[in-house]
Amino acid sequence: MDEWRGQAIYRSPDATGNWVRQEHFGGLILTAPESVDGRAVVGRHADVVPFADGTAGETSDGGTQRALLVYFTHPYWGGEDIDTMAPDPRTRLSHVRAAVLEVRGGSLVCTEH
């Protein structure tokens, strides 16, 4: 789920209700996948692409549950309202990035670089 400081991670036993925020790393991923001028740039608007598995219920890599997380960043956008941004073309720049998601010790984590 998009947050102003990264992507929030929630879990549910049946994906229909009883959502609980993950405790690992404050329930966030993509909090600083890149930086510009010493300022952290967060990942935004992510989508998950599962890696191809063998048969239903099995994973192709011996049990590790993994997926590709595709997201983007705005490296020169400081979070201000679009109407108040400087007329610098860099403020419109987006980077499309990807990270590997996997379940480790019951927590969803990602390799951001």
Side-chain angles (χ1 to χ4, degrees), residues 1-109:
M1 170 184 292
D2 274 333
E3 285 194 7
W4 59 271
R5 55 197 179 140
Q7 298 290 300
I9 304 298
Y10 288 84
R11 68 176 64 203
S12 167
D14 58 9
T16 63
N18 299 314
W19 292 95
V20 177
R21 189 176 181 117
Q22 178 173 281
E23 292 182 23
H24 185 69
F25 288 130
L28 292 169
I29 59 173
L30 301 178
T31 57
E34 65 181 308
S35 66
V36 172
D37 300 329
R39 178 182 54 82
V41 177
V42 302
R44 301 181 182 279
H45 310 302
D47 200 0
V48 176
V49 181
F51 287 140
D53 288 343
T55 58
E58 294 181 9
T59 57
S60 58
D61 58 359
T64 303
Q65 297 173 333
R66 300 184 325 146
L68 189 65
L69 181 70
V70 180
Y71 62 98
F72 66 88
T73 64
H74 298 299
Y76 294 98
W77 178 56
E80 63 274 18
D81 197 334
I82 197 164
D83 294 333
T84 63
M85 289 176 16
D88 183 344
R90 294 186 314 164
T91 61
R92 308 271 193 225
L93 181 68
S94 295
H95 289 169
V96 177
R97 300 180 57 113
V100 175
L101 284 173
E102 62 183 317
V103 177
R104 287 189 200 154
S107 293
L108 187 65
V109 297

